[in-house]
Every structure is written in structure tokens, then in C-alpha cells.
């Protein structure tokens, strides 16, 4: 599929990738182009911002978690009926895990696989000509990847810009735009990254402001001309649904469902029936599976504990049909959730786990898991790949093999023991599923 793409990346995190990505998306969409967003790596917040900026769903492409067939299927979904793909990287352009070429999870793998040129965002605060050395290093580090040009971010003055551009001219790397220092461009954040798109006040106005800045500060014509690459046609399939009618919790506390999962479920003919625990809604009894995605239940623990219709309906559902929870959903399926202030909130009591945010500890990384028993995600022993990112801790003992959902390892194969829980038809894990047996 010869839809051109460009990947917005940077040498490191916090360089301004999201700002430049959303600005470019909004500016191109204003031209009447059908812009599709892609997020490289395991991120479930940025795709919602992409959708807000473009009006079309965004997806994740992850070269570690997804095998080649699934990667191409998801990329094919992304370019369908599109005029251009704007992909956003995560962390640094080459940052990933130690794995075989093309399977590291780095942005560079995606750029190389689909031939998408890289628009490199350089945070030039505290540097001038030296920024060119960083850009040159990125252009030479991996022969599979082509740097189309750079966007300068956090430029202090016209003089500062001239100095940076002089360095880049010396190494022959074009400057395709510049953004001045502007604290008002920063989107609000919390412990997992950005505040969700649905929670960001005046989001449309913020995106329009970014679009204005792109028109003023980016050479959008040159960026469009630099876009290229292609996605193989007709390869692979999206994820299979866990049921025919799937009740999915969806509100400010439960929103971290990877877009390619939902797209695959719908493509296979399954129906997603949304409900809001925060509005005290129960899963529809007409569904055959219930799915509780992650999110921020710790910010709404009191409301969830008081949602008697939701909790009662969930318990009733679990008596006869499968229920699965990921991260925040897993915590809600447990006995209790302790918030950051140390207040205990009773949860559904369907799994023998209690969790706490009082003493925060970062849990981050890919998880390769094998379920102990047959269940909602597939047969026992199936290979699942997901990602874990949370600050909660378990205040109950680790699960035994008899009650664990799976055995897990990290991206390098280090055994992390048993994880998650299963009881009857109910299962839950701290990791978010990305792919299975691919």
C-alpha cells in the first residue's frame, strides 16, 4: 500500500515529539488530507491524542511485541483510506531491548520496515552547533534509517536558531522547522505520562494552537515531499476477539485498551458493548465476555467502591462468563485498593489480591507470559506478549502456581515467576496484552 509516511522521532525522551507530531497532524488535516496516526511502542495514551488531532483512529506498532505478520496487519489497518501516515516515536530513535535486528521495539525498526523517513526533533535548549553532532550521529548510526531533516524545538532566539542551523548546514542535514520555547505548549501530565485526551480541558483549542504553530514554524510542504515508504498489502491478521459480544469498561478510570485489539475484534464481527463503572453501570448481561482495561482507577477508587450496581453486576456476570482485567482492571477485580493517601477501598473481591499506591514503585517493561490454564486469552502455555507500566504494589503474597494466571519473563528472558491471578472464570494481570502466539 503506497501511502507515504513519516516518523517523528528524537535522540531522547522529552524532546518534544508529541508536540511536533500533534502540530503536524493538525496542520495537515486542515489541508483536507486524511492523516492517520501511529505510535511506535507500547503507549495507550498518545493514540487518543492522535485521533483527536486527525479525526481518525490511531494504532500502535511494536517490533518487539508484534511479529511480522501482526505488524503488517496493523500497519495495513493504519494506512487504509489514508493520504499520509504520521508516526510518533517513543523514547529515543534507537532505544529498545536487546534482541535480533528488526525486533528490538525501537522506533528505528518501524522506520526501516516501512521505509518511513525520520523527522528528527532536536531539543536545542542548552546547545547550539553541538546539536548538529547529535543529528549527524543519528543519521549514521543505522544504515536502514534515513533522516529526512530536523525540527528544532525550544529555540531561545533568532540568534540561537542561526547558530544551530549553521552547525546543521555543516553536516548537510536540512532544517524543516523550528519551534520557540513556549511553556503553554506543554500538555498536562501525571505519573503514567500525559493526562488522557478525554480529560484534557479545551483540547480542541490546544490542538488548533499547535496547528497554527506548525503553519508558522514548520515547512509542511517539505515534510510532505519527504514522506515515503509503503506497507505490504494483504499480510497478516488483526487479533481475534475473546467472545462474540464483549462488555468493555470505558470511562476515565478504564481506557487503556490498545486500538489494534478493538479493531481486530470488530473486524472479526464481534460487538463491543461499552459500559461505565464510574456511572455505576454493570456489564450487559447480554454479553458473553467482560473486559476491564487499565486506566486510573486509583484516582477514582472511592467512586468505584461505592458503585454497587457495577460491582454487583460484575460479580453476577463472573458466575457464568469469563471476566478479564488488565492492570487497573486487575486491581478492581481484587479485594481492595489503597490510594496514595493510604485510604483502603473495597473492590470486587473476585481475585485474591490487594493493591496499594501509598508506597509507589515503578514496574516497567515488556512481559512474555504463558498462561497456566486455558482461559479467555487462549490455551495453557500459549505465548503472550504484553507491557507493564504502573506504580502499584501488591500487598498480598505472590500467587502460587495453583492461583496464578501465568508465568512471566522480561524481554531478555529473565524468569519473573508467577504473576496475575485466576479464580473460576475470572483472570487478571498487571500487563496489557499486545500480541499472542505470533
Amino acid at each position: 500500500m503506497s501511502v507515504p509516511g513519516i516518523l517523528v522521532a528524537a535522540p531522547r525522551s522529552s524532546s518534544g515529539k508529541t508536540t511536533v507530531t500533534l502540530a503536524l497532524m493538525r496542520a495537515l488535516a486542515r489541508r483536507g488530507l486524511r492523516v492517520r496516526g501511529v505510535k511506535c511502542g507500547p503507549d495507550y495514551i498518545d493514540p487518543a491524542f492522535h485521533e483527536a488531532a486527525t479525526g481518525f483512529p490511531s494504532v500502535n506498532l511494536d517490533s518487539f511485541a508484534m511479529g511480522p505478520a501482526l505488524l503488517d496487519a496493523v500497519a495495513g489497518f493504519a494506512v487504509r483510506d489514508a493520504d499520509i501516515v504520521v508516526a510518533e516515536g517513543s523514547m529515543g530513535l534507537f532505544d529498545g531491548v536487546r534482541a535480533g535486528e528488526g525486533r528490538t521495539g525501537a522506533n528505528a525498526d518501524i522506520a526501516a520496515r516501512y521505509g518511513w523517513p525520520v523527522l528528527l526533533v532536536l531539543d536545542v535548549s542548552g546547545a547550539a552547533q553541538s546539536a548538529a553532532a547529535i543529528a549527524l550521529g543519528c543519521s549514521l548510526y543505522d544504515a536502514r534509517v534515513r533522516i529526512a531533516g530536523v525540527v528544532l524545538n525550544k529555540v531561545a532566539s533568532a540568534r540561537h536558531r542561526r547558530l544551530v542551523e549553521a552547525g546543521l548546514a555543516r553536516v548537510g542535514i536540512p532544517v524543516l522547522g523550528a519551534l520557540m520555547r513556549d511553556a503553554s505548549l506543554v500538555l498536562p501530565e501525571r505519573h503514567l505520562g500525559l493526562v488522557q485526551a478525554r480529560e484534557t480541558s479545551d483540547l480542541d483549542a490546544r490542538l488548533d494552537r499547535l496547528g497554527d504553530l506548525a503553519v508558522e514554524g514548520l515547512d509542511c510542504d517539505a515534510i510532505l515531499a519527504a514522506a515515503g515508504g509503503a506497507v505490504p498489502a494483504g499480510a497478516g491478521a488483526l487479533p481475534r476477539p475473546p467472545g462474540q459480544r464483549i462488555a468493555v469498561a470505558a470511562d476515565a478510570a478504564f481506557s487503556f485498551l490498545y486500538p489494534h485489539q478493538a479493531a481486530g475484534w470488530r473486524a472479526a464481527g464481534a460487538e463491543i458493548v461499552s459500559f461505565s463503572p464510574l456511572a455505576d453501570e454493570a456489564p450487559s448481561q447480554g454479553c458473553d465476555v467482560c473486559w476491564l482495561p487499565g486506566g486510573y482507577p486509583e484516582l477514582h477508587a472511592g467512586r468505584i467502591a461505592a458503585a454497587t450496581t457495577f460491582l454487583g453486576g460484575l460479580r453476577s456476570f463472573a458466575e457464568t462468563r469469563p471476566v478479564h482485567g488488565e492492570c487497573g482492571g486487575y486491581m478492581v477485580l481484587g479485594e481492595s485498593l489503597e490510594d496514595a493517601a493510604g485510604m483502603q477501598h473495597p473492590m470486587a473481591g473476585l481475585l485474591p489480591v490487594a493493591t496499594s499506591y501509598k508506597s509507589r514503585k515503578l514496574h516497567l517493561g515488556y512481559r512474555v507470559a504463558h498462561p497456566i490454564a486455558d482461559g479467555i486469552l487462549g490455551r495453557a502455555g500459549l505465548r503472550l506478549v504484553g507491557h507493564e507500566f504502573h506504580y502499584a504494589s501488591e500487598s498480598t503474597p505472590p500467587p502460587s502456581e495453583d492461583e496464578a494466571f501465568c508465568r512471566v519473563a522480561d524481554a531478555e528472558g529473565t524468569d519473573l515467576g508467577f504473576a496475575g491471578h485466576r479464580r473460576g472464570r475470572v483472570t487478571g494481570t498487571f500487563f496489557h496484552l499486545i500480541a499472542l502466539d505470533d
Side-chain angles (χ1 to χ4, degrees):
M1 303 180 193
S2 57
V3 175
I6 196 142
L7 193 152
V8 180
R12 60 175 178 81
S13 296
S14 302
S15 295
K17 295 186 300 291
T18 298
T19 297
V20 172
T21 299
L22 296 178
L24 181 61
M25 286 175 168
R26 194 65 153 195
L28 297 181
R30 282 181 180 173
R31 294 187 175 196
L33 295 175
R34 294 170 297 180
V35 183
R36 296 296 193 278
V38 163
K39 179 68 181 184
C40 297
D43 183 297
Y44 24 74
I45 293 179
D46 286 344
F49 282 91
H50 296 175
E51 183 171 357
T54 66
F56 296 102
S58 173
V59 294
N60 300 76
L61 292 175
D62 189 318
S63 69
F64 175 80
M66 298 175 174
L70 180 57
L71 267 177
D72 291 348
V74 177
F77 174 80
V79 303
R80 191 180 304 164
D81 301 322
D83 295 316
I84 186 169
V85 172
V86 178
E88 178 184 356
S90 55
M91 302 186 297
L93 174 58
F94 305 105
D95 295 335
V97 300
R98 293 191 297 175
E101 184 173 271
R103 295 304 305 271
T104 69
N107 312 170
D109 289 346
I110 302 303
R113 184 172 186 84
Y114 301 115
W116 292 339
V118 171
L119 184 64
L120 192 70
V121 180
L122 292 178
D123 177 349
V124 297
S125 58
Q129 289 94 331
S130 295
I134 297 171
L136 179 61
C138 288
S139 70
L140 298 176
Y141 184 80
D142 187 339
R144 303 174 304 156
V145 176
R146 180 172 71 86
I147 305 296
V150 302
V151 170
L152 312 180
N153 191 30
K154 298 184 182 178
V155 178
S157 64
R159 177 179 177 275
H160 183 205
R161 177 173 179 170
R162 289 193 300 271
L163 292 172
V164 178
E165 288 180 331
L168 288 159
R170 178 178 174 179
V171 298
I173 296 178
V175 176
L176 300 183
L179 299 177
M180 307 299 288
R181 287 180 185 170
D182 187 345
S184 69
L185 299 182
V186 179
L187 290 165
E189 297 187 3
R190 64 163 64 107
H191 57 270
L192 293 187
L194 295 176
V195 170
Q196 299 173 89
R198 70 171 73 200
E199 298 176 288
T200 303
S201 61
D202 64 0
L203 179 57
D204 247 8
R206 288 174 180 264
L207 291 170
D208 283 338
R209 170 64 176 146
L210 289 174
D212 292 341
L213 288 172
V215 172
E216 298 164 7
L218 304 184
D219 189 342
C220 292
D221 290 333
I223 293 170
L224 277 172
V231 173
L238 294 169
R240 300 182 299 273
Q244 188 59 38
R245 298 190 79 231
I246 310 164
V248 177
D251 55 29
F254 303 89
S255 61
F256 296 162
L257 178 64
Y258 280 115
H260 72 279
Q261 296 282 7
W265 297 351
R266 291 191 177 100
E271 180 184 1
I272 296 176
V273 182
S274 299
F275 68 99
S276 170
L278 292 183
D280 201 12
E281 297 172 353
S284 169
Q285 294 299 313
C287 292
D288 47 16
V289 169
C290 179
W291 193 281
L292 299 184
Y296 290 113
E298 68 275 13
L299 302 180
H300 308 276
R303 286 179 64 186
I304 294 170
T308 55
T309 299
F310 159 62
L311 293 172
L314 184 66
R315 294 177 187 121
S316 175
F317 193 103
E319 291 176 1
T320 56
R321 284 152 294 180
V323 176
H324 183 70
E326 294 186 323
C327 200
Y330 171 48
M331 294 189 285
V332 171
L333 290 173
E335 301 287 349
S336 65
L337 195 167
E338 183 180 29
D339 63 24
M343 183 172 292
Q344 294 273 355
H345 302 275
M347 293 287 114
L350 292 170
L351 292 176
V353 61
T355 53
S356 173
Y357 269 86
K358 186 176 181 181
S359 298
R360 286 165 38 117
K361 180 181 178 182
L362 176 61
H363 302 265
L364 174 65
Y366 289 110
R367 299 292 181 258
V368 179
H370 299 275
I372 304 299
D374 295 349
I376 185 172
L377 300 186
R379 67 184 184 279
L382 182 72
R383 182 176 183 268
L384 311 175
V385 187
H387 189 263
E388 189 172 332
F389 182 14
H390 65 92
Y391 287 88
S393 58
E394 295 185 32
S395 47
T396 42
S400 65
E401 184 173 2
D402 290 340
E403 62 183 5
F405 171 72
C406 58
R407 191 169 193 112
V408 297
D410 66 14
E412 297 185 353
T414 303
D415 183 20
L416 302 178
F418 296 113
H421 283 83
R422 73 184 195 279
R423 176 186 280 174
R425 296 176 174 84
V426 183
T427 54
T429 69
F430 264 123
F431 69 81
H432 295 259
L433 178 67
I434 299 174
L436 54 84
D437 201 27
D438 191 7

